[in-house]
């Protein structure tokens, strides 16, 4: 911390110097730093140093140009590690979850499931309520014994997805931490046919009413798909299900702990994390929305997909080599994180 304070005071003092003094001071510091780098000795980096570079990443666009003893990816990794420690600290401050379920209740749940093979969590939860036991249906489902799925369950679901891919859309959430450890929630809807993102938005306080509004913006003027796949997150409540049905869409929930049933949405989340969120430190809600807007444009127009026979969502045409001298040029996308390649005739 003292090192960071001294650096701040030195910066303020430099503002009062002449331009010539600053140039010579910069030259002397660079020469010493070059000698230090050539020596191969690894510097000891304190927590205050890490925070300084995280803040510079937020305030200065050329922060990566002056990095010598660490890589830009290291600064991003410091931010991720700090976020994990922050949430660990917050979780320790809060009450440690819900009270444990009594052993008698757990045994009774398993007994009812064994004696009534056709009963699910709602029926068992109802019986427990009538016996005076408190608790939620999700708690009951957590302690139900795992029953083997029908042998053809996977095949039936895969057949459903394959036969109705042009009539299916899916929605889901994922979270993104900011530089100040604020948590933002990204909601999106994706169609199965061409993997196009139909709509997305960002908020820090998601709710059922907010999700319903996003659905209205996603499916305006009778453009709804026939099926909408989503998981059993509590935010997708009865209000959301009723709104989906009012659009003429058949809501299709996945089973508990079965993210593979919403594989198209899960794969898009993985792509966003690997190709965008894992490469930058998000500043705020507006910054994240701009990044996602650029990435979605790249995802539609330029990015190839194995599921689309290595084509793009927007069906990008094949460009042949023009006659005469031509070369392949790289067109930066998403701030230079990705590129598109095209033929250009020689000038």
């Amino acid at each position: 911390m003292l090192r960071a304070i001294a650096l701040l005071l030195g910066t303020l003092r430099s503002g009062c110097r002449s331009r010539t003094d600053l140039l010579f001071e910069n030259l002397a510091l660079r020469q010493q730093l070059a000698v230090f780098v050539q020596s191969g000795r690894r510097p000891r980096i304190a927590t205050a140093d890490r925070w300084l570079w995280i803040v510079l990443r937020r305030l200065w666009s050329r922060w990566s140009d002056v990095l010598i003893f660490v890589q830009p990816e290291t600064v991003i990794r410091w931010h991720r590690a700090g976020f994990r420690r922050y949430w660990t600290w917050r979780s320790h401050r809060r009450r440690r979850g819900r009270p444990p379920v009594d052993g008698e209740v757990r045994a009774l749940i398993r007994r009812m499931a064994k004696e009534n093979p056709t009963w699910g969590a709602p029926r068992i939860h109802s019986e427990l309520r009538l016996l005076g036991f408190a608790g939620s249906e999700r708690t009951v489902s957590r302690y139900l014994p795992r029953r083997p799925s029908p042998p053809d369950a996977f095949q039936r679901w895969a057949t459903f997805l394959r036969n109705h891919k042009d009539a299916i859309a899916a929605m889901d959430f994922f979270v993104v931490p900011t530089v100040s450890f604020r948590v933002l929630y990204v909601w999106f809807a994706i169609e199965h046919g061409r993997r196009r993102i139909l709509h997305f938005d960002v908020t820090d306080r998601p709710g059922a009413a907010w999700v319903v509004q996003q659905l209205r913006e996603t499916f305006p003027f009778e453009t709804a798909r026939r099926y909408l796949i989503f998981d059993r997150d509590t935010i997708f409540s009865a209000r959301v299900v009723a709104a989906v049905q009012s659009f003429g869409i058949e809501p299709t929930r996945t089973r508990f702990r079965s993210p593979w049933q919403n594989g198209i949405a899960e794969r898009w989340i993985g792509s966003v994390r690997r190709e965008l969120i894992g490469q930058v430190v998000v500043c705020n809600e507006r910054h994240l929305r701009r990044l996602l807007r650029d990435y979605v444009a790249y995802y539609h127009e330029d990015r190839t997909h194995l599921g689309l026979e290595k084509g793009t969502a927007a069906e990008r045409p094949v460009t042949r080599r023009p006659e005469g001298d031509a070369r392949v040029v790289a067109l930066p996308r998403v701030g230079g994180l990705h590129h598109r390649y095209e033929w250009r005739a020689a000038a």
Side-chain angles (χ1 to χ4, degrees):
M1 182 61 69
L2 294 177
R3 190 189 308 175
I5 295 175
L7 180 61
L8 178 60
L9 293 177
T11 303
L12 295 176
R13 186 181 61 183
S14 298
C16 302
R17 296 183 179 182
S18 66
R19 183 176 180 83
T20 303
D21 289 338
L22 289 176
L23 288 174
F24 280 114
E25 181 182 10
N26 192 11
L27 177 62
L29 292 175
R30 283 180 178 274
Q31 193 275 337
Q32 296 176 67
L33 188 57
V35 173
F36 175 77
V37 171
Q38 290 178 359
S39 68
R41 297 170 57 188
R42 186 172 182 178
R44 296 184 61 183
I45 303 173
T47 302
D49 302 322
R50 295 185 175 96
W51 274 107
L52 172 65
W53 281 104
I54 291 174
V55 173
L56 284 177
R57 166 67 177 82
R58 169 69 174 86
L59 300 177
W60 188 27
S61 61
R62 294 183 56 203
W63 66 280
S64 60
D65 296 345
V66 297
L67 277 178
I68 295 179
F69 59 91
V70 296
Q71 298 296 321
E73 295 80 6
T74 306
V75 178
I76 296 175
R77 188 172 68 250
W78 288 344
H79 176 259
R80 298 287 185 266
F83 178 74
R84 287 193 296 270
R85 292 179 181 177
Y86 169 73
W87 277 103
T88 301
W89 171 75
R90 285 199 60 178
S91 63
H92 282 297
R93 287 189 60 194
R94 294 180 176 180
R95 183 167 56 91
R96 291 178 177 267
R98 300 175 181 175
V101 178
D102 188 74
E104 179 186 5
V105 177
R106 296 199 301 269
L108 190 56
I109 291 172
R110 298 188 181 98
R111 175 187 168 188
M112 289 182 177
K114 182 178 179 180
E115 295 175 348
N116 305 275
T118 61
W119 285 14
R123 289 287 301 276
I124 295 177
H125 179 242
S126 302
E127 287 291 331
L128 291 175
R129 288 184 58 190
L130 294 177
L131 291 174
F133 291 105
S136 66
E137 183 180 323
R138 295 199 67 177
T139 301
V140 173
S141 65
R142 188 177 300 114
Y143 292 102
L144 281 176
R146 296 297 296 265
R147 294 172 179 171
S149 302
D152 61 339
F154 177 84
Q155 185 60 41
R156 285 190 286 110
W157 185 261
T159 302
F160 163 72
L161 296 180
R162 183 173 58 253
N163 293 343
H164 301 281
K165 64 178 182 179
D166 294 327
I168 295 176
M171 66 176 175
D172 207 347
F173 273 98
F174 64 93
V175 298
V176 178
T178 67
V179 66
S180 60
F181 297 159
R182 180 185 174 199
V183 177
L184 299 177
Y185 297 83
V186 180
W187 179 94
F188 69 94
I190 184 172
E191 69 168 10
H192 277 213
R194 297 297 306 179
R195 309 292 201 272
R196 289 193 309 111
I197 301 301
L198 301 173
H199 184 63
F200 76 89
D201 206 349
V202 181
T203 184
D204 60 344
R205 295 185 179 181
W210 186 82
V211 173
V212 171
Q213 178 59 34
Q214 302 312 310
L215 289 171
R216 292 194 186 102
E217 297 179 16
T218 305
F219 304 113
F221 309 115
E222 300 182 355
T223 59
R225 303 304 187 270
R226 182 177 177 183
Y227 303 97
L228 182 64
I229 298 177
F230 52 96
D231 58 29
R232 296 181 179 272
D233 194 313
T234 53
I235 198 171
F236 300 138
S237 61
R239 180 176 181 181
V240 174
V241 174
V244 171
Q245 293 172 334
S246 69
F247 299 146
I249 306 174
E250 182 176 334
T252 307
R253 286 186 180 270
T254 60
R255 296 183 61 184
F256 285 106
R257 301 177 183 175
S258 299
W260 63 270
Q261 293 188 336
N262 199 7
I264 299 294
E266 294 291 341
R267 280 194 289 273
W268 191 75
I269 294 175
S271 298
V272 172
R273 292 197 183 282
R274 288 189 304 272
E275 300 175 2
L276 179 65
I277 304 303
Q279 309 295 327
V280 298
V281 177
V282 175
C283 300
N284 48 42
E285 185 174 324
R286 184 175 63 178
H287 183 211
L288 177 58
R289 190 175 283 108
R290 179 177 61 80
L291 288 173
L292 287 173
R293 191 180 301 115
D294 292 344
Y295 180 79
V296 168
Y298 159 75
Y299 185 85
H300 287 168
E301 302 292 335
D302 307 312
R303 187 184 184 277
T304 58
H305 303 262
L306 295 178
L308 299 178
E309 299 181 354
K310 299 186 178 180
T312 65
E315 301 183 82
R316 170 178 157 191
V318 176
T319 55
R320 305 297 179 183
R321 182 170 188 163
E323 297 181 358
D325 294 334
R327 60 190 179 93
V328 175
V329 297
L331 307 178
R333 296 290 187 266
V334 198
L337 287 175
H338 305 281
H339 294 81
R340 170 174 173 163
Y341 295 89
E342 291 185 351
W343 286 105
R344 284 288 173 85

